[in-house]
Amino acid sequence: MRSAKKFLCILIGVCALTQPISLLSPAQNKRIVIAASAVLDAKGHALRDTRIVIEGAKIVAIDSKVGPVDYDLRGLTVLPGWIDAHVHITWSFGPDRKNAGQGGTTQEAAYAAASNAWLTLMAGFTTIQSVGSPTDFPLRDAIAKGMLPGPRILTAGEALSGRGEQTGTPDEIRAFVRKQKQAGADLIKIYASGGITRGKMTMSQEQLNAACDEAKKQGLRSLVHAFRDAVRAATLAGCTEVEHGLGAWDDDLKLMAERGTYIDPQAGLLLETYLQYKDRYLAAPYYTEEGFAAMQGLIPAHQEFIKRAARIPGLKIVYGTDAVAGAHGRNAEDFINRVRDSGVDPMAAMVSANSLAAEALGMADQIGSIATGLQADIIALEGDPVKDITAVRRVVFVMKGGIVYKNAARGAIPAYAGEP
């Protein structure tokens, strides 16, 4: 029995825990007090010299005089667990070290997905939106049941891929959306245009209208992969959120701000990952030499797009990395690209991955802020990301739903170099 426990702690890196992962649920009414000298509340404010009181899975009080203290995080920057609004959590490299995509059902693929989830949680991301793959469902459910450690997962399952007339009639598209709802999808993912370099619309306005309207009727949000003209079309269709958005004009972005449509651009991590692992990704038809040749120049194009978007009053820009194989656990690198290379205000960058992202997920009453009544998703960094954005790499404490998954010695966080 002892050797089995030792193997488990080595496998998942939580040797400080004294109970099996399947039993890791917050003890009912168990009280935990965290002392913090600096707290970013995720709404643009900083709290000083306070204590956060947790009972079970939720924050029940914020009070400077409460004690005794269970976790002393003074000298660190405390903030809500981050939310990544766009990942592909089951993407991994296969046994041949090549990109295996997201559809693998082998034991290796399952282990890789569990590892991706663990790395993402350790990086400070307590909630993610995976958009999506049917293999997301068992991972989502296993984490929710406490069988595996990982971030809270929302997933689209099977996406609606635009293929012109072959996408289907509006009625057929509505039926597809209802099918995803029945399968357990948390949202609907729609591909309304081609890729970064092939960004023409792949659905008509009528088709897009049907997809997003039916999603709304089913109580689901709709996320639309869109470049250029598809950005305006998705906004006019009443879709919830536009993914990527490169090629949209300022008038399109202003319309999004007027309609309250969220936008989820990327600032470099995705393309940097592709370039870093070019030998593993290179394969027709999607990953070609021509495509890789264009990627280097597309990084500054994306960053310039974020600069433009940030200047549009009222535009809701959320944090999503589009993390694929090779990027899991490095999700915070896109913060650095946004602040350093795209001119995003550091506090706005934090808000984009906290309260604003929670709002976009329809979960602002549950996560995304340090506030009473919300889930106790709390992380701590060595350093202040408002003054030095590279502090996002130094996550030393992670609590999700009142459970502490990481409490590392200060100064002991190694740099994660990516998947082997």
Side-chain angles (χ1 to χ4, degrees):
M1 184 66 178
R2 184 174 298 175
S3 61
K5 286 184 178 179
K6 182 177 180 181
F7 173 75
L8 179 64
C9 84
I10 292 171
L11 177 64
I12 63 175
V14 286
C15 300
L17 301 173
T18 58
Q19 53 185 321
I21 290 297
S22 61
L23 300 179
L24 281 178
S25 58
Q28 190 171 6
N29 298 323
K30 181 183 177 183
R31 178 185 169 98
I32 295 174
V33 178
I34 293 174
S37 53
V39 178
L40 303 185
D41 69 353
K43 295 184 178 180
H45 305 107
L47 308 177
R48 301 293 176 188
D49 299 319
T50 193
R51 294 181 181 182
I52 304 166
V53 184
I54 297 125
E55 289 184 3
K58 294 187 177 182
I59 299 169
V60 297
I62 299 173
D63 189 331
S64 61
K65 298 178 182 179
V66 175
V69 171
D70 298 284
Y71 294 96
D72 188 348
L73 303 183
R74 287 174 294 187
L76 304 172
T77 300
V78 175
L79 63 160
W82 290 314
I83 300 165
D84 192 330
H86 189 138
V87 307
H88 296 277
I89 196 65
T90 56
W91 275 42
S92 61
F93 297 125
D96 61 356
R97 298 174 64 80
K98 298 289 186 180
N99 174 37
Q102 60 187 359
T105 56
T106 63
Q107 283 184 303
E108 289 86 357
Y111 295 149
S115 174
N116 292 344
W118 172 250
L119 291 169
T120 302
L121 180 63
M122 290 299 94
F125 290 82
T126 52
T127 302
I128 59 171
Q129 190 161 242
S130 189
V131 291
S133 165
T135 57
D136 290 345
F137 289 129
L139 181 63
R140 176 195 68 182
D141 296 344
I143 292 170
K145 292 174 182 176
M147 296 168 64
L148 287 172
R152 191 177 293 105
I153 296 177
L154 285 74
T155 182
E158 184 181 355
L160 174 63
S161 295
R163 294 174 291 125
E165 291 184 2
Q166 295 180 6
T167 309
T169 66
D171 284 344
E172 289 171 334
I173 288 170
R174 288 179 183 274
F176 175 88
V177 171
R178 292 192 293 270
K179 179 182 176 183
Q180 302 316 305
K181 168 78 171 182
Q182 293 168 0
D186 302 300
L187 60 133
I188 299 298
K189 173 68 182 298
I190 302 162
Y191 285 90
S193 70
I196 300 173
T197 57
R198 300 184 295 273
K200 293 182 179 179
M201 282 189 64
T202 56
M203 296 174 66
S204 69
Q205 186 70 60
E206 185 181 25
Q207 290 171 325
L208 199 48
N209 291 348
C212 292
D213 180 65
E214 189 62 34
K216 192 175 298 182
K217 287 181 177 178
Q218 296 300 319
L220 299 176
R221 294 167 299 110
S222 48
L223 273 64
V224 184
H225 168 106
F227 294 95
R228 303 173 181 85
D229 294 344
V231 174
R232 175 170 285 265
T235 305
L236 293 172
C239 307
T240 308
E241 183 173 308
V242 167
E243 305 302 305
H244 316 306
L246 190 67
W249 300 99
D250 283 2
D251 284 347
D252 302 326
L253 300 177
K254 289 176 183 177
L255 179 65
M256 294 183 71
E258 291 169 9
R259 298 287 183 96
T261 308
Y262 299 92
I263 188 163
D264 175 22
Q266 287 72 51
L269 173 63
L270 173 66
L271 295 178
E272 289 170 353
T273 300
Y274 283 148
L275 290 167
Q276 180 179 352
Y277 296 106
K278 176 184 174 181
D279 60 327
R280 303 192 189 188
Y281 276 102
L282 191 61
Y286 300 112
Y287 300 102
T288 63
E289 287 286 2
E290 181 184 14
F292 276 102
M295 282 184 192
Q296 196 70 54
L298 284 170
I299 293 175
H302 278 274
Q303 292 165 352
E304 182 59 35
F305 176 70
I306 290 179
K307 287 181 183 179
R308 284 200 295 115
R311 292 195 290 265
I312 303 297
L315 183 60
K316 297 180 178 181
I317 306 172
V318 300
Y319 186 84
T321 63
D322 205 355
V324 292
H328 302 297
R330 298 193 297 129
N331 309 62
E333 289 298 311
D334 221 59
F335 282 126
I336 298 171
N337 291 340
R338 288 169 194 242
V339 172
R340 181 192 62 201
D341 304 318
S342 304
V344 173
D345 175 77
M347 186 68 85
M350 295 299 101
V351 170
S352 73
N354 283 144
S355 60
L356 186 58
E359 178 190 308
L361 268 56
M363 298 180 71
D365 61 342
Q366 300 175 57
I367 61 173
S369 301
I370 301 286
T372 56
L374 271 61
Q375 288 285 317
D377 293 357
I378 298 169
I379 64 174
L381 318 178
E382 279 193 303
D384 182 349
V386 176
K387 297 177 181 177
D388 173 15
I389 194 60
T390 65
V392 298
R393 292 171 173 159
R394 301 186 293 277
V395 177
V396 296
F397 181 89
V398 176
M399 169 186 279
K400 185 192 112 186
I403 299 170
V404 176
Y405 288 91
K406 184 178 189 178
N407 187 21
R410 304 182 191 196
I413 299 300
Y416 174 57
E419 298 188 26

